[in-house]
Amino acid sequence: MTTNPLYAPLSQAVDGLDVSRRHPIVRTPAAGDFFEGALLGNGEFGAVVVPRPDAIVIHLGHNAVWDKRAQVVDPDRMGTFANVLTAAEEAARHGRPDEDEEFARYLADTEEGYGAPYPKPFPCGSVLLSLDTRRCEVLGYHVDIATGICSVQLTIDGAPSTVEIFVAADSDTAWVRWSAHGTATLPVRGLRVLPDPLGYDGADGPADPIEAGNAYTRPKSAFTPNEHLTHEQSSHHLAFVQGLPVTGEALPDTPAFRLGLTSDTELTAGTVAGFKGRRVALDPLATHVAPTRELNLRIDLTQDELSALSAAPVAVEMGDQDTARSATTASWRDFWARSAIDVGGHELEALWYRNLYWTRCALRDGGVAPGLFGPWTYRDIGSGFHGDYHFNYNVQQLYWGLFVTGHEDLHHPYLDLLDSLLPQARRTAEQYYGMPGAAFSLIGWPLETTLAPYLCPKWAWEAFIPAWAVQTLWWHYLYTGDVDLLADRIAPFLVDVAQFLLDYLDAGTERLARDDGRLHVYPTVVPEVYGLSDGLRLNVDGHVDIVFFTFAFQALVDADEALRTAGRDALPEDLVQRARAAVSQLVPLPTTETDEGTVWVSVAGEDPDVVYNVPAAAMAVFPCEAVSLSSPADQVDIARRTVRRQRTEGGNDLVFVAMQEARLGQLDLERWLRHVRYCTIPNGTATARVQCAGGRYDDATPFDFMARMGVWTENFAVGAVISECLLQSHDGVIRILPNWPLDLPVSFTELRTRGGHRVSFTRRPGEADRLELTGGHERELTVVPPWSGPSTVHPAADSTEEAQAIHHPPGPIRLSVQTGTVVRISPVPSLNDELEGTTTCAIS
């Protein structure tokens, strides 16, 4: 009895840890700028390592450290939704409401706080290791993404040397180690801890190219960076305590943080040679370092109330760096063991691994969700668009690729974020809208306010936002099958949002008084294109609203069925029935005719050649999944035509458009790679860059104006695009290589599908394709293999040539698979002609 090679397991065929080592993030020579630095992080605490020619600078930030100020409109001044809508309709009788003097004044009132001091991520300071350039040359850095360790490469007296830096996996601590070779001492001039030197003053920041004259991207601030600042110094320790800016007078219980540096080598005060030949005293947070052949540094960030942190200096033990290093490398080893791909070192492979690395640096289970720019902040970097939570795609996009790669634990910070915003969303629904449920709004921040901030109609009336806010929660259940999570945390959100959206639909439909038997979304705002239009004609039944309302209602219906099947408490029956009925009663998607045929548009009556900021006309494909490759041919044709024709400005679509194209099997990967390169900045991440004037931007707009705002965490989802090209399952059909070049060999291990199935696959030159699937929580499934001929389905119970195989004709393969059962599928050269149609293979 001999072993059949077809039965060799694929689940461990690709070692993600080994493949990740192929793709270090490397920079040569030295760096002079924040955006040239290496990004490190443990999911909350972030570091940017900038090896300057004369120093190694480490900028620190944290997802949970925010400016605590807020200027909000008094609810009485805000008014109620019904009253404001009446005023908007009256103003719209004469044109655009924002051109009506009285209504324009109201709009200005509701948005005035957006340019004022505002909650946003706050920089946590920097640590500077000063070098003697007469003995030392900085050469660059190497980040091993397999371990999270950054090696700054330099020379000492002409000999190679390395400074090792990493962020601990389990604490808000960074470590630095530097050892000299031979008998030479290290060329260290001194150490310094720097409170952020600018904070958010931004007075000399660039004007906003979107809307000249406002302060949306870099708001001015009255906050003085050294306000509420104290410092500590001892023979082995430097630290400062920073009270965070708050609305009103700082109090003892004001939130604060301490950035501390501990050295195993003695630190001494003194003087240095000044610019004009004088000896000048060192800054209180700067020291000399005693001559040494090895230097170990520990950097700690501590958060507490100002009174507690300022009470007395804290003695920090140096601790065991080797133990911290081992725990950190073990954490990364576990991370890379979840799933893996191997494309032979291709650029796509590098993008997949590096962006997963940065995602993990920005997210961790139990941590605070990152804002727009994650935990990497310095001066006004990270404050663009206030660095907060924008729920019209920005905050959600980071999580798009987590479920297919098996990293659903990194979605928990988003769940926690929604938990924190839920009371505010419920009050907004009740007090502003006069409706039940929860009304999540465009903007969120980790600060308690009565209502959602900035309920300005030209933003807040994007009716689809509550549904979009909870979408990934439903995806989380579909991939994991976690019924407890569904019952305890996900379903309550679906209920609250459905309650609000159903009443919103009824109220808008009644107000429009159209006798067509349909439910209408009114008012609404197409994502950042028209605002409040003439006569509000473009503020009814947006494409994005229709598909997101449908998604939310269907998710509620399906969640109820899943809970009932699992023997758990069902959802409110009357609400489920209303949601089921609304799915069929919603108005159809708006379309128009072009010289190429019928296409969707974002709202009825618009020009199909308009330039969008997000691909708003094709959201039925993604993220709403209403149309897929399994849809009727005419719908697929409209979808493909729409995606091909729509124009987007570039600042928000690096991932978004590509996801739509990949879902339809029409993404040109080479062209997309060129676009990724166009958007890539020196630290290796992809920024948001403009690619098309004619929408919000014109020909005089600097196309890279967003590049220096910060590290756009949303664009870490470029890895999700690659995963979609390898495996799709969103419509209940598992498709292997649905958008992959035939001539590009690839293997992947343990990618996940809806239903919780784990899929591994390999395609190599000179070998037959091989596919392995491990059953998840759904028993019935359909697989579309990436070959055109017949297939053989191999039960994995036996590993011999004599094991029984089930032959299957060309086309989709329907399987009935028990949880945990392994199935292997491979192409066969020929089968008898009588094998026609599809059959169901029961594998147990």
Side-chain angles (χ1 to χ4, degrees):
M1 194 174 290
T2 58
T3 299
N4 186 340
L6 288 175
Y7 288 98
L10 292 181
S11 58
Q12 304 300 322
V14 183
D15 187 323
L17 187 67
D18 283 347
V19 181
S20 68
R21 291 193 179 102
R22 299 176 188 167
H23 304 293
I25 301 161
V26 178
R27 175 173 175 84
T28 56
D33 180 77
F34 179 95
F35 291 103
E36 297 171 333
L39 302 183
L40 308 177
N42 64 11
E44 277 194 300
F45 184 44
V48 181
V49 179
V50 182
R52 290 187 338 207
D54 69 330
I56 298 173
V57 185
I58 307 174
H59 302 297
L60 289 313
H62 197 284
N63 288 344
V65 177
W66 284 61
D67 186 320
K68 302 296 183 181
R69 293 170 297 173
Q71 179 175 325
V72 296
V73 179
D74 184 274
D76 292 336
R77 281 180 63 201
M78 178 68 66
T80 64
F81 172 67
N83 291 339
V84 176
L85 178 55
T86 298
E89 289 172 332
E90 181 61 31
R93 296 179 188 277
H94 312 291
R96 291 183 59 89
D98 55 7
E99 294 174 354
D100 176 87
E101 182 177 353
E102 183 175 352
F103 196 77
R105 191 179 306 116
Y106 170 81
L107 293 177
D109 285 346
T110 59
E111 63 181 315
E112 66 178 357
Y114 198 69
Y118 185 106
K120 52 192 169 290
F122 193 89
C124 296
S126 307
V127 170
L128 187 146
L129 173 61
S130 181
L131 307 173
D132 186 342
T133 56
R134 295 167 296 188
R135 296 184 54 210
C136 178
E137 180 186 4
V138 175
L139 304 177
Y141 64 73
H142 175 287
V143 179
D144 179 9
I145 66 172
T147 61
I149 294 173
C150 175
S151 301
V152 175
Q153 295 153 340
L154 34 73
T155 63
I156 301 176
D157 303 326
S161 186
T162 299
V163 180
E164 184 179 277
I165 304 167
F166 67 92
V167 171
D170 54 3
S171 65
D172 294 338
T173 305
W175 294 87
V176 181
R177 172 174 288 169
W178 190 10
S179 301
H181 296 289
T183 60
T185 59
L186 295 175
V188 178
R189 295 188 65 241
L191 289 168
R192 188 175 184 185
V193 178
L194 287 158
D196 192 83
L198 181 62
Y200 291 111
D201 191 318
D204 57 351
D208 179 11
I210 299 177
E211 191 173 340
N214 69 29
Y216 287 1
T217 59
R218 284 180 170 81
K220 296 181 181 180
S221 165
F223 175 69
T224 303
N226 61 4
E227 193 174 0
H228 318 306
L229 185 72
T230 59
H231 64 267
E232 306 166 5
Q233 186 182 111
S234 66
S235 61
H236 290 270
H237 184 65
L238 288 172
F240 69 84
V241 173
Q242 171 71 71
L244 290 166
V246 295
T247 302
E249 182 181 356
L251 300 172
D253 61 354
T254 292
F257 66 89
R258 171 191 282 111
L259 184 68
L261 172 67
T262 305
S263 170
D264 66 347
T265 301
E266 185 180 6
L267 308 177
T268 59
T271 62
V272 292
F275 174 57
K276 296 185 177 179
R278 300 173 183 169
R279 299 294 297 184
V280 296
L282 287 171
D283 181 271
L285 289 173
T287 69
H288 294 299
V289 178
T292 181
R293 293 183 54 251
E294 180 170 337
L295 179 66
N296 291 285
L297 304 176
R298 172 178 174 148
I299 303 166
D300 290 282
L301 184 75
T302 308
Q303 301 177 61
D304 206 331
E305 293 179 354
L306 181 60
S307 58
L309 292 178
S310 302
V314 175
V316 178
E317 297 293 332
M318 192 65 196
D320 187 345
Q321 183 170 170
D322 289 335
T323 298
R325 189 183 191 278
S326 296
T328 300
T329 56
S331 175
W332 282 104
R333 181 175 61 249
D334 293 343
F335 177 78
W336 293 120
R338 296 285 186 89
S339 59
I341 72 170
D342 185 343
V343 195
H346 191 279
E347 184 177 0
L348 291 167
E349 179 184 290
L351 284 174
W352 194 86
Y353 280 95
R354 288 174 182 167
N355 281 279
L356 263 181
Y357 163 77
W358 289 314
T359 298
R360 178 62 183 85
C361 287
L363 288 171
R364 73 176 174 193
D365 191 0
V368 173
L372 294 176
F373 304 106
W376 301 289
T377 54
Y378 176 60
R379 298 195 174 195
D380 64 351
I381 296 170
S383 67
F385 301 106
H386 302 293
D388 59 16
Y389 302 115
H390 279 54
F391 285 92
N392 60 348
Y393 103 91
N394 302 86
V395 68
Q396 295 98 322
Q397 184 168 292
L398 172 62
Y399 304 91
W400 284 352
L402 295 182
F403 305 114
V404 69
T405 55
H407 296 294
E408 62 276 357
D409 57 308
L410 299 185
H411 185 241
H412 292 158
Y414 185 77
L415 276 163
D416 296 338
L417 172 62
L418 290 189
D419 276 338
S420 70
L421 295 175
L422 184 58
Q424 178 198 83
R426 285 173 170 166
R427 288 193 298 268
T428 301
E430 179 184 6
Q431 298 177 29
Y432 176 70
Y433 287 100
M435 299 176 187
F440 292 98
S441 193
L442 171 63
I443 295 167
W445 57 42
L447 191 65
E448 182 70 19
T449 57
T450 302
L451 302 181
Y454 308 120
L455 290 170
C456 177
K458 62 183 183 181
W459 304 332
W461 290 1
E462 291 179 323
F464 55 86
I465 284 178
W468 206 341
V470 300
Q471 182 187 47
T472 56
L473 276 60
W474 179 238
W475 287 351
H476 194 132
Y477 168 71
L478 290 178
Y479 275 87
T480 65
D482 188 335
V483 176
D484 290 337
L485 189 72
L486 175 63
D488 298 339
R489 300 194 65 187
I490 295 174
F493 281 105
L494 299 179
V495 168
D496 270 358
V497 165
Q499 285 178 327
F500 173 73
L501 295 181
L502 285 165
D503 274 33
Y504 194 94
L505 263 182
D506 289 344
T509 301
E510 181 179 355
R511 197 167 188 116
L512 286 176
R514 294 182 180 176
D515 187 20
D516 60 3
R518 292 287 190 174
L519 292 173
H520 295 271
V521 184
Y522 173 78
T524 188
V525 178
V526 174
E528 299 183 44
V529 180
Y530 306 114
L532 301 180
S533 59
D534 295 348
L536 300 182
R537 65 183 182 86
L538 300 177
N539 296 104
V540 182
D541 295 336
H543 174 113
V544 60
D545 305 293
I546 296 165
V547 290
F548 260 119
F549 277 52
T550 301
F551 182 98
F553 298 151
Q554 191 61 54
L556 182 80
V557 171
D558 292 345
D560 178 66
E561 182 179 350
L563 291 171
R564 289 174 184 270
T565 300
R568 306 298 290 268
D569 291 342
L571 302 183
E573 186 174 355
D574 60 336
L575 186 69
V576 173
Q577 293 304 323
R578 286 180 67 197
R580 182 179 285 110
V583 169
S584 60
Q585 292 172 356
L586 269 163
V587 65
L589 292 177
T591 61
T592 194
E593 295 302 318
T594 71
D595 55 359
E596 298 179 40
T598 304
V599 296
W600 295 319
V601 286
S602 72
V603 64
E606 79 171 0
D607 185 333
D609 291 325
V610 69
V611 176
Y612 300 119
N613 72 311
V614 292
M619 291 195 187
V621 175
F622 184 87
C624 291
E625 303 173 334
V627 175
S628 72
L629 291 174
S630 296
S631 298
D634 61 331
Q635 290 297 298
V636 175
D637 288 344
I638 291 175
R640 284 177 166 164
R641 196 178 301 121
T642 302
V643 169
R644 185 173 61 249
R645 287 191 85 264
Q646 69 183 344
R647 302 171 68 205
T648 50
E649 64 194 16
N652 300 284
D653 63 13
L654 176 66
V655 172
F656 211 153
V657 170
M659 289 293 283
Q660 291 179 347
E661 293 175 333
R663 284 287 174 94
L664 297 171
Q666 64 186 86
L667 174 62
D668 183 336
L669 276 168
E670 286 299 324
R671 179 174 180 172
W672 178 68
L673 281 174
R674 290 191 291 272
H675 186 33
V676 174
R677 294 175 202 136
Y678 165 69
C679 294
T680 299
I681 57 178
N683 63 18
T685 67
T687 190
R689 277 185 120 183
V690 179
Q691 67 171 353
C692 180
R696 297 181 302 172
Y697 312 130
D698 61 29
D699 290 329
T701 300
F703 272 31
D704 64 347
F705 81 92
M706 286 182 277
R708 298 194 63 79
M709 289 184 181
V711 178
W712 291 87
T713 59
E714 66 197 47
N715 285 337
F716 297 164
V718 298
V721 175
I722 298 164
S723 296
E724 285 291 329
C725 293
L726 297 173
L727 178 70
Q728 292 180 14
S729 62
H730 55 278
D731 59 1
V733 176
I734 298 172
R735 291 183 171 85
I736 315 299
L737 306 190
N739 196 118
W740 196 257
L742 291 174
D743 59 348
L744 184 58
V746 61
S747 298
F748 59 80
T749 289
E750 297 282 273
L751 294 183
R752 272 63 163 185
T753 74
R754 301 282 176 94
H757 311 295
R758 289 173 288 153
V759 179
S760 301
F761 174 81
T762 182
R763 168 174 286 173
R764 294 171 180 160
E767 298 180 9
D769 292 354
R770 295 167 57 208
L771 170 64
E772 180 180 286
L773 183 145
T774 303
H777 60 272
E778 290 184 359
R779 180 166 181 172
E780 307 298 324
L781 61 142
T782 300
V783 179
V784 177
W787 52 80
S788 59
S791 305
T792 300
V793 180
H794 308 267
D798 293 320
S799 60
T800 64
E801 291 179 350
E802 290 79 6
Q804 183 181 8
I806 302 171
H807 297 303
H808 198 281
I813 302 169
R814 295 174 184 163
L815 299 172
S816 180
V817 181
Q818 299 286 353
T819 302
T821 297
V822 178
V823 180
R824 292 177 182 131
I825 305 173
S826 59
V828 293
S830 64
L831 283 173
N832 295 331
D833 294 339
E834 62 266 17
L835 287 173
E836 296 178 355
T838 59
T839 59
T840 298
C841 305
I843 309 295
S844 59

